[in-house]
Protein backbone atom coordinates (compact mmCIF):
# COMPACT_ATOMS: atom_id res chain seq x y z
CA UNK A 1 0.00 0.00 0.00
CA UNK A 2 1.15 3.56 -0.63
CA UNK A 3 2.12 5.96 2.11
CA UNK A 4 -0.68 7.93 3.76
CA UNK A 5 -0.17 11.22 5.55
CA UNK A 6 -2.69 11.57 8.36
CA UNK A 7 -2.96 14.58 10.66
CA UNK A 8 -5.48 15.62 13.29
CA UNK A 9 -6.37 18.71 15.26
CA UNK A 10 -8.89 19.34 18.04
CA UNK A 11 -10.16 22.90 18.24
CA UNK A 12 -10.89 24.68 21.55
CA UNK A 13 -14.67 24.35 21.01
CA UNK A 14 -14.40 20.54 20.84
CA UNK A 15 -14.57 20.03 17.07
CA UNK A 16 -12.03 17.53 15.71
CA UNK A 17 -10.48 17.68 12.24
CA UNK A 18 -8.92 14.51 10.81
CA UNK A 19 -7.25 14.57 7.40
CA UNK A 20 -5.46 12.28 5.00
CA UNK A 21 -3.34 13.73 2.22
CA UNK A 22 -3.52 11.81 -1.06
CA UNK A 23 -1.16 13.63 -3.40
CA UNK A 24 -1.81 11.50 -6.47
CA UNK A 25 -5.47 12.48 -6.83
CA UNK A 26 -7.17 15.66 -8.06
CA UNK A 27 -10.25 15.39 -5.88
CA UNK A 28 -11.04 15.95 -2.23
CA UNK A 29 -13.82 14.54 -0.09
CA UNK A 30 -15.23 15.25 3.34
CA UNK A 31 -17.32 13.48 5.95
CA UNK A 32 -18.91 15.47 8.76
CA UNK A 33 -20.33 13.58 11.74
CA UNK A 34 -22.53 15.61 14.08
CA UNK A 35 -23.56 13.72 17.26
CA UNK A 36 -27.26 14.20 16.73
CA UNK A 37 -28.44 10.82 15.48
CA UNK A 38 -31.50 8.75 16.25
CA UNK A 39 -30.36 7.64 19.72
CA UNK A 40 -31.06 11.21 20.82
CA UNK A 41 -34.67 11.16 19.60
CA UNK A 42 -37.32 11.71 22.29
CA UNK A 43 -38.74 8.33 23.33
CA UNK A 44 -42.18 9.20 21.91
CA UNK A 45 -40.88 11.03 18.82
CA UNK A 46 -38.67 8.46 17.09
CA UNK A 47 -37.88 9.88 13.67
CA UNK A 48 -37.15 13.47 14.72
CA UNK A 49 -33.46 13.24 13.82
CA UNK A 50 -34.28 11.58 10.50
CA UNK A 51 -36.60 14.42 9.52
CA UNK A 52 -33.94 16.93 10.57
CA UNK A 53 -31.31 15.20 8.41
CA UNK A 54 -33.52 15.80 5.36
CA UNK A 55 -34.81 19.26 6.25
CA UNK A 56 -31.47 20.77 7.27
CA UNK A 57 -30.14 21.12 3.72
CA UNK A 58 -33.29 22.87 2.44
CA UNK A 59 -31.88 26.35 2.67
CA UNK A 60 -29.19 27.95 4.82
CA UNK A 61 -27.72 31.42 5.36
CA UNK A 62 -28.52 33.63 2.36
CA UNK A 63 -29.60 30.67 0.19
CA UNK A 64 -33.07 29.21 -0.14
CA UNK A 65 -33.37 25.50 -0.85
CA UNK A 66 -33.10 25.78 -4.63
CA UNK A 67 -30.25 28.30 -4.49
CA UNK A 68 -28.27 26.14 -2.07
CA UNK A 69 -28.70 23.07 -4.25
CA UNK A 70 -27.60 25.01 -7.33
CA UNK A 71 -24.55 26.43 -5.52
CA UNK A 72 -23.41 22.92 -4.59
CA UNK A 73 -24.11 21.64 -8.09
CA UNK A 74 -22.08 24.51 -9.56
CA UNK A 75 -19.13 23.29 -7.48
CA UNK A 76 -19.61 19.76 -8.79
CA UNK A 77 -20.25 18.32 -5.33
CA UNK A 78 -21.44 14.72 -5.20
CA UNK A 79 -23.15 14.81 -1.83
CA UNK A 80 -25.22 12.88 0.66
CA UNK A 81 -26.87 13.49 4.02
CA UNK A 82 -27.58 10.52 6.25
CA UNK A 83 -28.79 9.37 9.64
CA UNK A 84 -27.35 6.73 11.95
CA UNK A 85 -27.74 5.93 15.60
CA UNK A 86 -24.99 8.28 16.71
CA UNK A 87 -24.84 10.92 13.98
CA UNK A 88 -26.41 13.04 11.32
CA UNK A 89 -23.76 12.88 8.62
CA UNK A 90 -22.85 15.05 5.66
CA UNK A 91 -20.51 13.75 2.98
CA UNK A 92 -19.37 14.95 -0.38
CA UNK A 93 -16.63 14.89 -2.98
CA UNK A 94 -15.49 17.46 -5.50
CA UNK A 95 -12.39 18.76 -7.24
CA UNK A 96 -9.76 19.71 -4.70
CA UNK A 97 -9.81 23.32 -5.96
CA UNK A 98 -13.51 23.57 -5.00
CA UNK A 99 -13.20 22.18 -1.48
CA UNK A 100 -12.86 25.54 0.29
CA UNK A 101 -16.06 27.00 -1.17
CA UNK A 102 -17.86 23.70 -0.59
CA UNK A 103 -16.98 23.59 3.11
CA UNK A 104 -18.08 27.22 3.49
CA UNK A 105 -21.52 26.20 2.24
CA UNK A 106 -21.62 23.29 4.67
CA UNK A 107 -20.72 25.63 7.50
CA UNK A 108 -23.94 27.50 6.67
CA UNK A 109 -25.92 24.25 6.57
CA UNK A 110 -24.62 23.20 9.99
CA UNK A 111 -24.79 26.61 11.65
CA UNK A 112 -27.54 28.58 9.93
CA UNK A 113 -30.13 26.23 8.43
CA UNK A 114 -33.55 27.64 7.62
CA UNK A 115 -35.47 24.48 8.62
CA UNK A 116 -38.38 25.82 6.57
CA UNK A 117 -41.78 25.00 8.02
CA UNK A 118 -43.36 24.89 4.56
CA UNK A 119 -41.10 21.93 3.64
CA UNK A 120 -41.51 20.04 6.91
CA UNK A 121 -44.38 17.88 5.62
CA UNK A 122 -42.35 16.85 2.57
CA UNK A 123 -39.39 15.84 4.75
CA UNK A 124 -41.61 13.87 7.09
CA UNK A 125 -43.31 12.16 4.13
CA UNK A 126 -39.90 11.14 2.79
CA UNK A 127 -39.04 9.48 6.09
CA UNK A 128 -42.42 7.73 6.08
CA UNK A 129 -41.75 6.39 2.58
CA UNK A 130 -38.40 5.05 3.72
CA UNK A 131 -40.02 3.22 6.63
CA UNK A 132 -42.81 1.88 4.41
CA UNK A 133 -40.26 0.56 1.93
CA UNK A 134 -38.76 -1.53 4.75
CA UNK A 135 -42.21 -2.93 5.54
CA UNK A 136 -42.52 -3.99 1.89
CA UNK A 137 -39.09 -5.67 1.82
CA UNK A 138 -39.11 -8.76 4.00
CA UNK A 139 -35.32 -9.09 4.04
CA UNK A 140 -34.86 -5.50 5.22
CA UNK A 141 -37.64 -5.87 7.76
CA UNK A 142 -36.08 -9.05 9.17
CA UNK A 143 -32.70 -7.37 9.59
CA UNK A 144 -34.25 -4.23 11.12
CA UNK A 145 -36.16 -6.32 13.64
CA UNK A 146 -33.14 -8.52 14.34
CA UNK A 147 -31.06 -5.44 15.09
CA UNK A 148 -33.84 -4.12 17.34
CA UNK A 149 -33.63 -7.25 19.46
CA UNK A 150 -29.84 -7.71 19.26
CA UNK A 151 -28.67 -4.32 20.48
CA UNK A 152 -29.80 -2.31 23.49
CA UNK A 153 -32.32 0.46 22.90
CA UNK A 154 -32.03 3.11 21.62
CA UNK A 155 -29.06 1.83 19.55
CA UNK A 156 -31.00 -1.09 18.13
CA UNK A 157 -34.01 0.97 17.10
CA UNK A 158 -34.48 1.92 13.42
CA UNK A 159 -32.53 5.12 12.70
CA UNK A 160 -35.38 6.41 10.51
CA UNK A 161 -37.75 6.18 13.48
CA UNK A 162 -41.06 4.48 14.10
CA UNK A 163 -43.87 4.87 11.59
CA UNK A 164 -46.59 5.20 14.23
CA UNK A 165 -44.75 8.11 15.90
CA UNK A 166 -44.02 10.23 12.81
CA UNK A 167 -47.43 11.89 12.90
CA UNK A 168 -46.73 13.18 16.41
CA UNK A 169 -43.57 15.03 15.37
CA UNK A 170 -43.87 18.77 14.76
CA UNK A 171 -41.57 21.34 13.23
CA UNK A 172 -40.98 22.59 16.77
CA UNK A 173 -39.68 19.14 17.77
CA UNK A 174 -37.23 19.21 14.87
CA UNK A 175 -36.09 22.74 15.69
CA UNK A 176 -35.57 21.75 19.31
CA UNK A 177 -33.53 18.72 18.28
CA UNK A 178 -31.33 21.00 16.17
CA UNK A 179 -30.84 23.50 18.99
CA UNK A 180 -29.96 20.75 21.44
CA UNK A 181 -27.66 18.62 19.35
CA UNK A 182 -25.94 20.74 16.68
CA UNK A 183 -22.79 21.90 18.43
CA UNK A 184 -19.08 21.53 17.68
CA UNK A 185 -18.14 19.41 20.70
CA UNK A 186 -17.65 15.83 19.54
CA UNK A 187 -18.38 16.81 15.94
CA UNK A 188 -15.84 15.21 13.58
CA UNK A 189 -14.79 16.50 10.17
CA UNK A 190 -12.83 14.06 8.03
CA UNK A 191 -11.14 15.35 4.86
CA UNK A 192 -9.16 13.26 2.37
CA UNK A 193 -7.62 14.00 -0.98
CA UNK A 194 -5.25 16.46 -2.60
CA UNK A 195 -5.20 18.83 0.37
CA UNK A 196 -2.83 20.89 2.48
CA UNK A 197 -3.39 20.24 6.18
CA UNK A 198 -2.47 23.72 7.40
CA UNK A 199 -4.78 25.36 4.86
CA UNK A 200 -7.68 23.08 5.81
CA UNK A 201 -7.05 23.65 9.52
CA UNK A 202 -7.12 27.42 9.02
CA UNK A 203 -10.29 27.17 6.94
CA UNK A 204 -12.04 25.11 9.64
CA UNK A 205 -10.90 27.63 12.25
CA UNK A 206 -12.30 30.49 10.16
CA UNK A 207 -15.73 28.96 9.52
CA UNK A 208 -16.27 26.93 12.71
CA UNK A 209 -13.95 28.48 15.30
CA UNK A 210 -16.64 30.65 16.91
CA UNK A 211 -19.29 27.89 16.86
CA UNK A 212 -20.39 27.61 20.47
CA UNK A 213 -20.17 24.25 22.28
CA UNK A 214 -23.14 22.71 24.04
CA UNK A 215 -23.84 23.09 27.72
CA UNK A 216 -23.65 19.32 28.10
CA UNK A 217 -26.27 16.65 27.61
CA UNK A 218 -27.01 13.21 28.98
CA UNK A 219 -26.26 10.17 26.91
CA UNK A 220 -29.31 7.90 26.51
CA UNK A 221 -29.67 5.03 28.95
CA UNK A 222 -29.28 1.56 27.45
CA UNK A 223 -32.15 -0.91 27.73
CA UNK A 224 -31.29 -4.55 26.96
CA UNK A 225 -33.78 -7.10 25.64
CA UNK A 226 -33.59 -10.36 27.61
CA UNK A 227 -35.73 -12.42 25.25
CA UNK A 228 -33.97 -14.60 22.67
CA UNK A 229 -36.68 -15.79 20.28
CA UNK A 230 -39.11 -13.65 18.28
CA UNK A 231 -41.85 -14.49 15.82
CA UNK A 232 -43.89 -12.26 13.52
CA UNK A 233 -46.78 -14.03 11.84
CA UNK A 234 -47.08 -13.40 8.12
CA UNK A 235 -49.29 -15.54 5.90
CA UNK A 236 -46.98 -16.21 3.00
CA UNK A 237 -45.22 -19.08 1.28
CA UNK A 238 -41.86 -17.64 2.36
CA UNK A 239 -40.14 -17.41 5.73
CA UNK A 240 -37.42 -14.97 6.72
CA UNK A 241 -34.93 -15.94 9.39
CA UNK A 242 -32.64 -13.72 11.41
CA UNK A 243 -29.91 -15.03 13.70
CA UNK A 244 -27.60 -12.95 15.89
CA UNK A 245 -24.82 -13.79 18.31
CA UNK A 246 -22.05 -12.02 20.18
CA UNK A 247 -18.82 -10.83 18.58
CA UNK A 248 -16.20 -8.21 19.44
CA UNK A 249 -16.61 -4.51 18.60
CA UNK A 250 -14.55 -2.44 16.19
CA UNK A 251 -11.26 -1.55 17.81
CA UNK A 252 -10.97 -4.79 19.80
CA UNK A 253 -7.56 -6.54 19.44
CA UNK A 254 -9.33 -9.54 17.89
CA UNK A 255 -11.53 -7.52 15.54
CA UNK A 256 -9.78 -8.66 12.35
CA UNK A 257 -9.92 -12.30 13.45
CA UNK A 258 -13.67 -11.79 13.98
CA UNK A 259 -13.88 -10.23 10.53
CA UNK A 260 -12.13 -13.25 9.00
CA UNK A 261 -14.42 -15.70 10.80
CA UNK A 262 -17.48 -13.97 9.37
CA UNK A 263 -15.80 -13.73 5.96
CA UNK A 264 -15.31 -17.50 5.90
CA UNK A 265 -18.99 -17.92 6.71
CA UNK A 266 -20.29 -15.35 4.25
CA UNK A 267 -17.70 -13.95 1.88
CA UNK A 268 -18.82 -14.83 -1.61
CA UNK A 269 -20.06 -17.88 -3.49
CA UNK A 270 -17.38 -20.14 -1.98
CA UNK A 271 -18.30 -19.27 1.61
CA UNK A 272 -19.58 -21.81 4.14
CA UNK A 273 -23.16 -20.60 4.37
CA UNK A 274 -23.62 -20.19 0.61
CA UNK A 275 -22.09 -23.60 -0.12
CA UNK A 276 -23.65 -25.68 2.66
CA UNK A 277 -27.07 -24.05 3.07
CA UNK A 278 -27.89 -22.93 -0.45
CA UNK A 279 -25.82 -24.86 -2.98
CA UNK A 280 -25.56 -28.37 -1.50
CA UNK A 281 -29.02 -28.56 0.03
CA UNK A 282 -30.98 -25.95 -1.93
CA UNK A 283 -32.62 -24.82 1.28
CA UNK A 284 -32.84 -21.11 0.61
CA UNK A 285 -32.55 -18.50 -2.10
CA UNK A 286 -30.29 -16.22 -0.08
CA UNK A 287 -28.17 -16.50 3.06
CA UNK A 288 -25.61 -14.11 4.51
CA UNK A 289 -23.83 -12.96 7.65
CA UNK A 290 -22.20 -9.67 8.59
CA UNK A 291 -20.20 -8.23 11.48
CA UNK A 292 -21.72 -5.07 12.90
CA UNK A 293 -21.79 -3.16 16.13
CA UNK A 294 -22.00 -0.04 18.26
CA UNK A 295 -19.36 1.46 20.55
CA UNK A 296 -18.28 -1.32 22.91
CA UNK A 297 -20.51 -4.05 21.49
CA UNK A 298 -20.22 -6.27 18.42
CA UNK A 299 -22.69 -8.76 16.95
CA UNK A 300 -22.86 -11.08 13.97
CA UNK A 301 -26.18 -10.72 12.14
CA UNK A 302 -27.29 -13.52 9.79
CA UNK A 303 -30.22 -13.68 7.39
CA UNK A 304 -31.78 -16.47 5.36
CA UNK A 305 -34.80 -16.34 3.05
CA UNK A 306 -36.50 -19.64 2.29
CA UNK A 307 -39.81 -21.36 1.66
CA UNK A 308 -42.00 -21.90 4.69
CA UNK A 309 -41.87 -25.69 4.18
CA UNK A 310 -38.08 -25.71 4.49
CA UNK A 311 -37.72 -22.96 7.09
CA UNK A 312 -37.07 -25.25 10.06
CA UNK A 313 -34.43 -27.24 8.17
CA UNK A 314 -32.83 -23.99 6.98
CA UNK A 315 -32.61 -22.74 10.56
CA UNK A 316 -31.19 -26.05 11.79
CA UNK A 317 -28.50 -26.27 9.10
CA UNK A 318 -27.55 -22.60 9.40
CA UNK A 319 -27.13 -22.84 13.17
CA UNK A 320 -25.09 -26.01 12.69
CA UNK A 321 -22.74 -24.27 10.25
CA UNK A 322 -22.30 -21.32 12.61
CA UNK A 323 -21.57 -23.63 15.53
CA UNK A 324 -19.14 -25.93 13.72
CA UNK A 325 -16.83 -23.21 12.40
CA UNK A 326 -14.54 -23.77 15.37
CA UNK A 327 -13.94 -27.37 14.33
CA UNK A 328 -11.51 -26.26 11.65
CA UNK A 329 -10.72 -23.84 8.83
CA UNK A 330 -9.01 -24.59 5.53
CA UNK A 331 -6.00 -22.50 4.54
CA UNK A 332 -7.73 -21.77 1.21
CA UNK A 333 -10.71 -20.26 3.05
CA UNK A 334 -8.52 -17.82 4.93
CA UNK A 335 -6.51 -16.95 1.82
CA UNK A 336 -9.70 -16.09 -0.06
CA UNK A 337 -10.63 -13.71 2.78
CA UNK A 338 -7.24 -12.04 2.54
CA UNK A 339 -7.53 -11.69 -1.24
CA UNK A 340 -10.95 -10.04 -0.98
CA UNK A 341 -9.61 -7.68 1.67
CA UNK A 342 -6.64 -6.68 -0.48
CA UNK A 343 -8.90 -5.86 -3.43
CA UNK A 344 -11.17 -3.80 -1.17
CA UNK A 345 -8.23 -1.92 0.34
CA UNK A 346 -6.79 -1.06 -3.06
CA UNK A 347 -10.15 0.33 -4.17
CA UNK A 348 -10.44 2.29 -0.90
CA UNK A 349 -6.96 3.71 -1.47
CA UNK A 350 -8.15 5.18 -4.75
CA UNK A 351 -11.34 6.71 -3.29
CA UNK A 352 -11.19 10.00 -1.43
CA UNK A 353 -14.81 9.55 -0.33
CA UNK A 354 -14.04 6.16 1.18
CA UNK A 355 -11.03 7.49 3.07
CA UNK A 356 -12.82 10.61 4.35
CA UNK A 357 -15.61 8.45 5.73
CA UNK A 358 -13.21 5.89 7.19
CA UNK A 359 -11.00 8.33 9.05
CA UNK A 360 -14.02 10.14 10.52
CA UNK A 361 -15.52 6.85 11.71
CA UNK A 362 -12.16 5.72 13.08
CA UNK A 363 -11.94 8.86 15.19
CA UNK A 364 -15.44 8.30 16.55
CA UNK A 365 -14.79 4.68 17.52
CA UNK A 366 -11.07 4.70 18.32
CA UNK A 367 -9.91 8.29 18.82
CA UNK A 368 -7.07 7.49 16.43
CA UNK A 369 -6.79 6.66 12.71
CA UNK A 370 -5.99 3.25 11.28
CA UNK A 371 -4.09 3.56 8.01
CA UNK A 372 -4.68 1.27 5.05
CA UNK A 373 -1.16 -0.09 5.56
CA UNK A 374 -2.01 -1.01 9.13
CA UNK A 375 -5.27 -2.68 8.11
CA UNK A 376 -3.49 -4.64 5.39
CA UNK A 377 -0.79 -5.76 7.82
CA UNK A 378 -3.38 -6.87 10.39
CA UNK A 379 -5.21 -8.94 7.80
CA UNK A 380 -2.17 -10.46 6.12
CA UNK A 381 -0.79 -11.57 9.51
CA UNK A 382 -3.93 -13.54 10.32
CA UNK A 383 -3.36 -17.27 10.74
CA UNK A 384 -5.72 -20.20 11.07
CA UNK A 385 -4.60 -20.58 14.68
CA UNK A 386 -5.43 -16.98 15.51
CA UNK A 387 -8.86 -17.11 13.84
CA UNK A 388 -9.71 -20.40 15.55
CA UNK A 389 -8.49 -18.96 18.84
CA UNK A 390 -10.95 -16.12 18.41
CA UNK A 391 -13.80 -18.49 17.54
CA UNK A 392 -13.12 -20.65 20.59
CA UNK A 393 -13.00 -17.58 22.83
CA UNK A 394 -16.16 -16.13 21.24
CA UNK A 395 -18.15 -19.12 19.97
CA UNK A 396 -21.38 -18.80 18.00
CA UNK A 397 -23.83 -19.43 20.83
CA UNK A 398 -26.55 -17.79 22.90
CA UNK A 399 -28.39 -17.03 19.68
CA UNK A 400 -31.09 -14.44 19.16
CA UNK A 401 -33.48 -15.91 16.56
CA UNK A 402 -36.17 -14.02 14.64
CA UNK A 403 -38.75 -15.61 12.34
CA UNK A 404 -41.12 -13.81 9.97
CA UNK A 405 -43.52 -16.28 8.35
CA UNK A 406 -46.62 -18.41 8.86
CA UNK A 407 -45.30 -20.30 11.89
CA UNK A 408 -42.64 -20.05 14.60
CA UNK A 409 -39.56 -22.26 14.48
CA UNK A 410 -37.79 -24.28 17.17
CA UNK A 411 -34.17 -23.66 18.09
CA UNK A 412 -32.48 -27.04 18.68
CA UNK A 413 -31.81 -27.56 22.38
CA UNK A 414 -28.25 -28.72 21.78
CA UNK A 415 -27.38 -25.41 20.02
CA UNK A 416 -29.33 -22.60 21.70
Amino acid sequence: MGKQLIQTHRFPNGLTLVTESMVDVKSAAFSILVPSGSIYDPADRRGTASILSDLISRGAGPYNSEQLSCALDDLGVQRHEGISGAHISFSGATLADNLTETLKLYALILRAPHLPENQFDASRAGVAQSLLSVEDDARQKALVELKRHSFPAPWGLPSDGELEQLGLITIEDVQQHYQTSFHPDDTIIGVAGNIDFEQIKQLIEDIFGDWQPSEGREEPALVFDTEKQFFTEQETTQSHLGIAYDAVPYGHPDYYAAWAAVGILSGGMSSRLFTEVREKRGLCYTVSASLTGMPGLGRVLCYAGTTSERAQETLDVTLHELSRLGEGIEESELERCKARAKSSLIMSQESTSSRAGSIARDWFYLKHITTLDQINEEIQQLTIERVLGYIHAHPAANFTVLTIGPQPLEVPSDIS
Side-chain angles (χ1 to χ4, degrees):
M1 298 293 166
K3 181 180 178 181
Q4 288 88 36
L5 180 58
I6 292 174
Q7 293 177 272
T8 68
H9 181 77
R10 184 175 174 86
F11 295 90
N13 61 6
L15 185 149
T16 298
L17 171 68
V18 292
T19 69
E20 180 170 338
S21 178
M22 302 166 68
V23 297
D24 294 329
V25 300
K26 295 182 180 180
S27 64
F30 62 90
S31 177
I32 305 172
L33 305 180
V34 183
S36 54
S38 61
I39 64 171
Y40 302 107
D41 279 343
D44 60 348
R45 298 289 192 278
R46 301 291 182 193
T48 303
S50 187
I51 296 172
L52 175 58
S53 73
D54 179 86
L55 194 62
I56 196 168
S57 60
R58 297 188 181 217
Y63 302 94
N64 63 29
S65 182
E66 183 179 355
Q67 291 168 338
L68 181 59
S69 182
C70 287
L72 290 167
D73 286 345
D74 288 344
L75 291 167
V77 183
Q78 299 176 12
R79 59 194 187 274
H80 175 73
E81 292 82 42
I83 178 76
S84 66
H87 301 104
I88 290 177
S89 62
F90 306 83
S91 59
T94 186
L95 294 175
D97 290 344
N98 293 339
L99 182 63
T100 294
E101 294 305 313
T102 299
L103 289 176
K104 287 179 180 179
L105 291 175
Y106 274 89
L108 293 175
I109 293 171
L110 268 63
R111 301 188 58 185
H114 295 175
L115 304 180
E117 185 172 1
N118 65 353
Q119 296 192 43
F120 168 75
D121 287 342
S123 290
R124 184 169 58 181
V127 174
Q129 287 299 316
S130 179
L131 289 169
L132 287 169
S133 71
V134 172
E135 293 295 317
D136 291 338
D137 185 328
R139 181 181 184 276
Q140 283 194 65
K141 182 174 175 59
L143 289 171
V144 165
E145 292 304 309
L146 183 63
K147 184 178 178 183
R148 184 195 299 273
H149 296 301
S150 301
F151 291 96
W155 283 91
L157 301 177
S159 57
D160 275 334
E162 306 285 359
L163 195 59
E164 63 272 17
Q165 293 185 10
L166 283 185
L168 303 175
I169 300 171
T170 66
I171 183 63
E172 290 77 18
D173 293 323
V174 174
Q175 292 167 341
Q176 179 61 40
H177 189 85
Y178 170 80
Q179 293 296 334
T180 301
S181 62
F182 265 67
H183 295 282
D185 37 323
D186 296 323
T187 290
I188 302 164
I189 300 179
V191 182
N194 194 336
I195 59 171
D196 178 272
F197 174 73
E198 292 300 329
Q199 290 180 358
I200 293 295
K201 186 175 76 169
Q202 185 59 57
L203 172 65
I204 299 302
E205 172 67 37
D206 291 343
I207 60 179
F208 289 112
D210 61 347
W211 195 15
Q212 293 301 302
S214 67
E215 297 178 358
R217 64 178 175 187
E218 293 185 8
E219 291 296 310
L222 302 184
V223 180
F224 289 83
D225 198 333
T226 57
E227 296 294 321
K228 287 295 181 182
Q229 288 187 245
F230 304 90
F231 169 63
T232 298
E233 186 171 4
Q234 182 173 294
E235 291 303 325
T236 175
T237 58
Q238 295 179 332
S239 287
H240 305 273
L241 316 180
I243 304 168
Y245 58 94
D246 290 337
V248 295
Y250 185 56
H252 190 280
D254 287 331
Y255 175 80
Y256 291 102
W259 168 86
V262 175
I264 290 167
L265 285 170
S266 180
M269 296 178 68
S270 58
S271 64
R272 293 276 184 96
L273 292 179
F274 189 92
T275 300
E276 297 296 330
V277 185
R278 174 176 164 163
E279 291 298 289
K280 288 186 178 180
R281 295 174 176 84
L283 289 172
C284 61
Y285 54 87
T286 183
V287 62
S288 62
S290 62
L291 180 62
T292 187
M294 56 175 275
L297 180 63
R299 300 280 273 169
V300 177
L301 303 185
C302 308
Y303 167 80
T306 184
T307 62
S308 297
E309 292 79 7
R310 308 200 72 180
Q312 184 65 57
E313 186 181 0
T314 300
L315 176 63
D316 294 346
V317 173
T318 301
L319 289 173
H320 177 70
E321 289 303 317
L322 298 176
S323 299
R324 80 174 184 91
L325 187 61
E327 296 175 6
I329 294 171
E330 298 291 334
E331 187 69 39
S332 59
E333 292 179 303
L334 182 56
E335 288 306 312
R336 281 194 291 270
C337 278
K338 292 181 178 181
R340 286 193 302 272
K342 189 170 184 179
S343 296
S344 177
L345 289 170
I346 290 172
M347 287 185 284
S348 294
Q349 186 181 33
E350 297 172 351
S351 169
T352 55
S353 294
S354 175
R355 290 308 297 155
S358 293
I359 62 178
R361 286 190 299 272
D362 266 8
W363 194 265
F364 170 64
Y365 281 103
L366 310 176
K367 294 299 183 285
H368 66 81
I369 307 303
T370 307
T371 68
L372 291 176
D373 285 340
Q374 290 169 333
I375 296 171
N376 185 55
E377 184 176 0
E378 287 275 4
I379 291 173
Q380 297 308 319
Q381 287 183 352
L382 287 173
T383 62
I384 289 177
E385 291 73 22
R386 183 179 169 191
V387 177
L388 285 175
Y390 164 80
I391 295 169
H392 295 152
H394 306 274
N398 194 28
F399 296 106
T400 298
V401 177
L402 170 81
T403 307
I404 299 176
Q407 58 192 18
L409 305 178
E410 294 293 328
V411 178
S413 59
D414 62 332
I415 289 182
S416 58

